[in-house]
Amino acid sequence: MPKKTTRRTFLKRTIGSLFTLLGLSSGGYYYANKIEPSMLSIEQMDIIHPLIPKSFDGIRIVQFSDTHLGFQYNIKQIKKLAHRINQLKPDIILFTGDLLDEPNKYTEINRLLPILDSLHAPLGKFCIFGNHDHGGYGSDLYRNIMEAANFTVLLNQSSTIKLQDGSRIYLLGIDDAMLGTPDISIAMKNVPKHHFTILLSHAPDLAEDALRYPIHLQLSGHSHGGQVKIPFIGALIKPPFAQKYLEGLYSLGDNNQLTLYVNRGIGTTRLPFRFLSKPELTVFTFRT
């Protein structure tokens, strides 16, 4: 009986054919499958805004996203990642969704929990849902994992980040756009005006909605930076709600009222390849 061709197998064959057509052959295939997915780029960025309190000057945020554990990314790799995050000495850690590739099939939760718990950030660890965190009946599982690891799960909610002198900023987290019910208006309910406000949204394209609110910075993932980018062709993988904003920094709205940053993520999904889209940790430093 002929073997059934899945979407994942079809895409894998297609990309292999593209590598061959571009003259990359087996060397390019090996690089995209084994080398680039294991590389890590650490992007550094200053965040400057008049509403950032002076006492927040120098406060560091580390964002990581889209680990997709269980597909190509494993326990040994996330343990190494956690060590690298702690070396960066973050004050705040933000995870922007898609922890497990298929939550209901993942079997190493007991090994994962102490690794996530070991992440240290004196001003808090926060996370939101991605589409894979809801998939495979994973919603409760994901929440339980993250809360057991001392992350605050923001599901259409806000949280205050407050320093000893009383100065504060606000952090919002909304649900995933594909499999959840994101609602910025509910998340904004307890956020006063004239305070610096950060939105966590797994889906970057929801920045178009965020423009209607007094939000100053949106941090997203989901896109994987396209995951596979072919020269002169562009990104081969653009998931829903990451069609317009694929990676890096964007200034949106009148007078650049909203800054959007799209993190390329850590793991892979659908296909075990990365090409011209290295895994990423992002370090944001507040400057006043």
Side-chain angles (χ1 to χ4, degrees):
M1 178 180 284
K3 188 176 180 180
K4 184 180 179 181
T5 300
T6 65
R7 174 179 170 81
R8 184 176 286 179
T9 302
F10 173 76
L11 288 170
K12 186 175 180 180
R13 289 174 181 170
T14 301
I15 288 176
S17 300
L18 278 168
F19 286 151
T20 302
L21 286 171
L22 292 168
L24 297 174
S25 191
S26 60
Y29 189 95
Y30 181 82
Y31 172 84
N33 181 244
K34 300 296 184 185
I35 297 177
E36 188 167 306
S38 65
M39 301 171 79
L40 182 65
S41 176
I42 298 177
E43 308 291 345
Q44 304 269 355
M45 186 168 306
D46 288 347
I47 301 297
I48 302 169
H49 194 279
L51 288 179
I52 296 174
K54 290 182 179 180
S55 54
F56 273 79
D57 188 73
I59 293 291
R60 289 158 65 86
I61 295 173
V62 171
Q63 178 196 8
F64 71 113
S65 194
D66 297 89
T67 48
H68 288 273
L69 279 154
F71 178 49
Q72 190 184 19
Y73 204 67
N74 59 41
I75 281 288
K76 184 178 179 181
Q77 289 170 302
I78 198 169
K79 186 174 182 179
K80 185 177 179 181
L81 178 73
H83 178 68
R84 188 70 188 95
I85 291 173
N86 283 334
Q87 283 182 324
L88 293 168
K89 299 187 183 304
D91 299 288
I92 302 164
I93 293 175
L94 305 176
F95 178 69
T96 43
D98 282 0
L99 179 69
L100 310 177
D101 198 64
E102 295 181 278
N104 62 334
K105 296 181 180 179
Y106 193 72
T107 60
E108 297 190 279
I109 291 172
N110 289 339
R111 297 179 65 192
L112 174 61
L113 279 173
I115 296 171
L116 294 174
D117 191 40
S118 73
L119 291 169
H120 179 68
L123 295 182
K125 304 188 296 187
F126 303 87
C127 66
I128 55 171
F129 280 84
N131 52 298
H132 282 258
D133 303 316
H134 281 306
Y137 307 101
S139 304
D140 291 338
L141 178 64
Y142 173 71
R143 178 183 284 278
N144 291 339
I145 290 171
M146 298 309 278
E147 289 182 345
N150 291 304
F151 276 77
T152 298
V153 181
L154 296 175
L155 185 61
N156 298 325
Q157 293 168 293
S158 65
S159 184
T160 307
I161 298 176
K162 185 178 178 180
L163 299 186
Q164 289 184 346
D165 67 350
S167 60
R168 66 192 68 191
I169 62 173
Y170 286 83
L171 183 64
L172 315 177
I174 56 172
D175 202 357
D176 172 65
M178 287 180 64
L179 298 180
T181 309
D183 195 321
I184 299 175
S185 63
I186 292 176
M188 286 290 299
K189 270 188 176 181
N190 298 316
V191 178
K193 295 180 180 179
H194 310 303
H195 284 74
F196 187 75
T197 302
I198 301 171
L199 171 66
L200 305 183
S201 168
H202 184 66
D205 288 358
L206 291 191
E208 303 288 336
D209 297 330
L211 281 170
R212 297 186 285 115
Y213 300 89
I215 293 168
H216 308 102
L217 174 65
Q218 176 179 321
L219 303 181
S220 297
H222 185 49
S223 70
H224 295 225
Q227 194 166 299
V228 175
K229 291 187 288 190
I230 303 299
F232 309 112
I233 296 175
L236 294 187
I237 300 174
K238 289 185 178 181
F241 301 101
Q243 299 283 311
K244 190 169 183 179
Y245 304 110
L246 201 62
E247 67 172 304
L249 190 68
Y250 301 86
S251 294
L252 308 178
D254 297 335
N255 301 316
N256 299 324
Q257 71 186 63
L258 175 65
T259 298
L260 166 66
Y261 191 86
V262 186
N263 180 291
R264 292 189 300 271
I266 297 294
T268 57
T269 188
R270 297 189 189 176
L271 299 165
F273 301 108
R274 274 187 180 267
F275 190 70
L276 302 181
S277 184
K278 292 179 185 177
E280 172 185 352
L281 285 178
T282 318
V283 182
F284 301 95
T285 304
F286 288 127
R287 299 296 182 194
T288 56

